[in-house]
Amino acid sequence: MREIQMVDLQRQYQRIKPEIDAAIQKVIDGAAFVKGAEVEQFARHLEAYTGAKHVIPVANGTEALQIALMALGLKPGDEVITPTFTFIATAEVVALLGLTPVVVDVDWGTMNMSAEAVARAITPKTKAIVPVHLFGQCADMEPLLRIAREHNLYVVEDTAQAIGARYTMGDGRTMQAGTMGDIGCTSFFPSKNLGCYGDGGALMTNDDALAQKIRIIANHGMTIRYHHDMIGVNSRLDTIQAAVLDTKLPYLDAYIAARQRAAAYYDKALGGCSRLDIPERSRHSTHVFHQYTLRITGADRDAVRQALSEAGIPAMVYYPIPLHLQKAYQDPRYKAGDFPVAERLAQCVLSLPMHTELDEEQLAYITEHVLRAVNA
Ligand SMILES: *Cc1c(COP(=O)(O)O)cnc(C)c1O
């Protein structure tokens, strides 16, 4: 059996090596390492894929979130609601801009932001909601969008883990993750479902004025060369990364299907076990399985992880500490026990190897050892 990896980027590369190598070589030959034609070409292709009117590539997903909040013109003291069970980037940019992060609990089954919790957290200072489409399926956007409309709030989707996921509205319309709110932010970090060979990210929006503002902010706030009308940042997707992404984008649906096949195998092998819960599916969203995350309910999660590690199976804890319990984000408004679902998830989640290259032999070995470990 091949060695089991959490993410197998090497083998994925080998399958399309000639195409990737040629695309990278072309950039080197042209030497337009910044702002090469590939960047805009990839943006147009991602617009076609997602249905977003505008895609603006930037340097990474964290900066995409930061630029989104800057483009919305939020001011220090404005409150931004975000789930407490997520990667730190979401709250980090809120805090960096002097805005006030307001965290809310998540749903036990989908592990995504709960719309009821968001409704309860709204105050006169609330200006935006940042739902995170965690692990690859969309947060429940329809109620969130309704709440945002009622209270005149912006919605910025963090779709770093869910590019390609589709959400079906009550009227039957299906929309891509990242295209439902005012702005969608994604990451092309190598291990993400559409990953480049370094850092990368993008913003998506259907709003022409916002798109214009985002482009200006990402380019030093510059409208005409050396005329700076806004305070901006320097955030660019390298041409080489754009070339890699443009080569990989046509394979994204096949990559998602491969992840879904691995998830279906995990479901079938583990679904009958009473000591764990397999990932619950949203009724409204497809799941693109950035992660396949178990909740270990009838055994000690860390002991299970250790046993898997001894069997040569990597497994990861995303995320061990909710935002409100992180040292840097301590806030007199929050204490342990305030967000019981997120706190319980932090104790029991375990993500299994998930990537496009898992084969049946590996999946059989992994699931056999998971069952052995939880029943030990
Ligand atoms: C990866 C990730 C980010 C940040 O993306 P980078 O490109 O690493 O800056 C933000 N939010 C979530 C949920 C992520 O998973």
Side-chain angles (χ1 to χ4, degrees):
M1 187 177 64
R2 283 184 294 117
E3 187 195 335
I4 297 172
Q5 294 178 281
M6 199 64 200
V7 180
D8 188 346
L9 297 174
Q10 175 59 27
R11 199 173 164 87
Q12 189 190 60
Y13 162 63
Q14 287 303 331
R15 292 176 187 275
I16 53 169
K17 183 178 187 311
E19 277 181 87
I20 292 274
D21 290 0
I24 292 175
Q25 190 60 51
K26 187 161 168 250
V27 176
I28 297 172
D29 292 342
F33 297 113
V34 167
K35 292 188 179 171
E38 285 83 352
V39 181
E40 285 307 308
Q41 185 178 306
F42 166 63
R44 297 298 84 76
H45 289 153
L46 193 58
E47 285 163 1
Y49 180 88
T50 58
K53 192 165 177 202
H54 304 277
V55 165
I56 302 106
V58 293
N60 59 65
T62 306
E63 286 186 356
L65 287 163
Q66 178 181 338
I67 293 164
L69 296 176
M70 290 170 78
L72 295 175
L74 304 191
K75 307 248 163 4
D78 287 349
E79 293 179 356
V80 178
I81 302 178
T82 187
T84 190
F85 189 66
T86 179
F87 180 58
I88 199 71
T90 331
E92 182 176 59
V93 298
V94 173
L96 268 176
L97 293 172
L99 312 172
T100 304
V102 171
V103 297
V104 296
D105 214 345
V106 294
D107 177 67
W108 168 252
T110 63
M111 300 179 259
N112 267 323
M113 185 185 232
S114 142
E116 294 82 63
V118 170
R120 281 196 301 275
I122 291 171
T123 76
K125 288 184 177 170
T126 309
K127 289 287 151 51
I129 308 174
V130 185
V132 179
H133 302 319
L134 200 68
F135 301 147
Q137 72 182 343
C138 295
D140 204 1
M141 288 303 289
E142 193 152 33
L144 288 171
L145 291 168
R146 191 181 318 120
I147 292 167
R149 251 194 325 273
E150 280 165 17
H151 297 268
N152 204 19
L153 310 175
Y154 294 113
V155 175
V156 176
E157 299 171 68
D158 181 343
T159 189
Q161 301 188 1
I163 194 156
R166 283 188 293 271
Y167 184 93
T168 305
M169 300 285 173
D171 63 6
R173 270 180 318 146
T174 291
M175 297 175 87
Q176 287 260 351
T179 67
M180 295 175 271
D182 296 283
I183 304 176
C185 298
T186 199
S187 164
F188 306 120
F189 185 79
S191 64
K192 300 280 154 94
N193 287 22
L194 179 62
C196 57
Y197 291 177
D199 275 306
L203 297 94
M204 307 169 207
T205 183
N206 294 320
D207 183 311
D208 297 341
L210 270 179
Q212 167 81 350
K213 212 165 160 196
I214 289 165
R215 286 183 212 281
I216 292 170
I217 291 171
N219 185 30
H220 299 289
M222 189 159 83
T223 37
I224 305 165
R225 188 160 247 192
Y226 307 128
H227 294 244
H228 304 273
D229 294 350
M230 284 178 241
I231 295 177
V233 295
N234 170 24
S235 195
R236 299 185 281 242
L237 181 69
D238 288 352
T239 312
I240 286 181
Q241 301 308 339
V244 169
L245 289 165
D246 206 37
T247 306
K248 287 180 75 175
L249 182 58
Y251 297 98
L252 179 57
D253 285 336
Y255 290 161
I256 290 171
R259 289 171 177 274
Q260 289 170 335
R261 275 197 302 278
Y265 189 105
Y266 281 145
D267 278 352
K268 193 150 174 262
L270 302 174
C273 175
S274 63
R275 292 173 185 240
L276 55 80
D277 288 341
I278 60 172
E280 189 177 303
R281 308 302 201 271
S282 154
R283 276 177 296 132
H284 309 288
S285 173
T286 60
H287 201 320
V288 296
F289 289 100
H290 176 59
Q291 300 296 343
Y292 184 93
T293 303
L294 298 172
R295 287 155 291 160
I296 309 292
T297 50
D300 179 63
R301 187 264 320 269
D302 295 329
V304 171
R305 188 182 182 197
Q306 182 59 31
L308 292 176
S309 166
E310 280 159 20
I313 301 166
M316 297 291 283
V317 175
Y318 305 117
Y319 295 91
I321 307 174
L323 295 184
H324 68 283
L325 300 179
Q326 295 284 357
K327 195 168 159 200
Y329 292 83
Q330 271 174 18
D331 183 316
R333 288 171 304 163
Y334 303 127
K335 59 181 187 313
D338 282 354
F339 303 101
V341 179
E343 289 171 33
R344 187 159 167 236
L345 285 171
Q347 300 293 320
C348 77
V349 285
L350 191 62
S351 296
L352 298 182
M354 175 49 78
H355 52 79
T356 56
E357 312 301 318
L358 285 162
D359 64 31
E360 286 230 353
E361 189 186 13
Q362 293 175 312
L363 290 164
Y365 181 85
I366 294 165
T367 49
E368 183 196 315
H369 280 84
V370 169
L371 291 174
R372 204 181 285 176
V374 295
N375 288 309

